[in-house]
Amino acid sequence: MADYIGSEACAISTVELAQKQTLRSQVIQGVYNLTQMEDADRDTVVGWISALVESAQVPDELTAESGALVLQIADTILANAATIGLVPDALTVLLQTVNSVARSLKDRTRRRRLQIVDSTTVEDKDTTSLLSLQHTLSTFEDVVSSNLLPGQDAVSLVLPEFRVYIQNIALSSGLSGFGGSTDVPYKLLTMPQSDLEAFNGNTDAVVIVPIGTDGTQSSAVRVSLSTLRSELFNTEFALTGKQQAFSNPLSLKIGETGCSGPACRVELVLPVSADLAEWATERATPVNFTTECAANDKSCLLYTSDAADDMQCV
């Protein structure tokens, strides 16, 4: 009897999915071969992007190996894009492939756990990691940031598995002050939200970047922000309870701000997930102990339990 563990929507059997993954890997290998054989001009790189997006559009059909190859191709495209000066608008679609790899990574981890429960053969450990995902995102930020003019509209991208915000801040306008009497100019940056998140009134992730006034800074400061969903970290590393990430990890890259001193601080505001409230509720559950003491016994008794880390001396 066929099983459907490998399919996210249970639409095809595991055997059928394996066949599709094999075909998908061959297509991705073909795209990789193109990047190694063809000369990189603007039209060629745009063609690579289109081919890669098309070949990596179904996360279920990406294996650990083909996912790693997708990221390798994306890195090659970004390196060539930086050389030929490809505009940011032509590159943003490339992140769809990174999102597919992130989704496939999360789904493969889920399938491994189902296979363990089902006592079937477990897939080999992933060669695609969050580190390689973060590296590709970081490279994308660097390439796009280098092509943004001071004061140009920020590149703000919302994908299911991550968010990206890139801006080249012009220091001649748009600055405010904070810190009471210090009055240090700053720029308030807000991570983009999906329409659903905005409709639900979700809290934004906010970064406050100090801008100096010592006259040594340039006319602009390049800033890049990116976040990956906390579920990716929690799923891959099997993090639960107090060890899990309750906020989406945020990466911040900032150029020289010309600001120094105690008042020049970067402030972060990260929204927490509903899991934190559930975990806090579990920790708030009282744990009762019954102890019989002899008369005049003043010993210090330490208590702990699986539900609490702190210990009381009574």
Side-chain angles (χ1 to χ4, degrees), residues 255-269:
E256 177 58 51
T257 66
C259 189
S260 60
C264 295
R265 60 187 182 273
V266 174
E267 298 187 5
L268 306 177
V269 179

Side-chain angles (χ1 to χ4, degrees), residues 77-267:
I77 290 174
L78 290 170
N80 284 284
T83 301
I84 64 178
L86 197 62
V87 296
D89 288 345
L91 284 174
T92 54
V93 68
L94 183 63
L95 289 189
Q96 294 179 18
T97 66
V98 182
N99 185 78
S100 292
V101 174
R103 183 61 179 269
S104 68
L105 174 61
K106 184 170 63 176
D107 290 344
R108 281 198 305 276
T109 303
R110 176 185 57 82
R111 289 198 295 267
R112 284 202 303 269
R113 293 177 182 173
L114 289 175
Q115 288 172 334
I116 292 174
V117 173
D118 195 46
S119 299
T120 59
T121 303
V122 180
E123 293 180 3
D124 293 335
K125 183 175 177 59
D126 281 335
T127 56
T128 305
S129 68
L130 287 177
L131 289 178
S132 55
L133 280 169
Q134 290 174 307
H135 176 268
T136 301
L137 280 178
S138 179
T139 303
F140 173 85
E141 294 167 19
D142 292 340
V143 174
V144 171
S145 177
S146 65
N147 284 282
L148 288 181
L149 298 175
Q152 186 176 346
D153 290 343
V155 173
S156 180
L157 302 171
V158 177
L159 287 97
E161 302 301 331
F162 56 84
R163 309 281 192 269
V164 175
Y165 183 93
I166 307 170
Q167 187 175 15
N168 192 0
I169 303 171
L171 302 185
S172 58
S173 62
L175 303 180
S176 304
F178 77 105
S181 59
T182 58
D183 195 31
V184 177
Y186 71 91
K187 184 68 176 180
L188 182 68
L189 307 175
T190 303
M191 289 299 295
Q193 290 186 329
S194 66
D195 292 340
L196 179 60
E197 290 169 338
F199 177 79
N200 290 335
N202 291 11
T203 304
D204 297 326
V206 175
V207 178
I208 297 175
V209 178
I211 304 298
T213 56
D214 58 10
T216 61
Q217 78 274 19
S218 62
S219 60
V221 175
R222 300 184 186 276
V223 178
S224 301
L225 307 174
S226 62
T227 61
L228 282 164
R229 286 170 61 92
S230 59
E231 289 85 352
L232 291 169
F233 293 84
N234 294 336
T235 300
E236 180 172 2
F237 300 113
L239 303 178
T240 59
K242 67 178 182 180
Q243 295 181 329
Q244 67 182 298
F246 292 110
S247 296
N248 294 333
L250 183 145
S251 171
L252 167 65
K253 291 195 289 186
I254 180 172
E256 177 58 51
T257 66
C259 189
S260 60
C264 295
R265 60 187 182 273
V266 174
E267 298 187 5

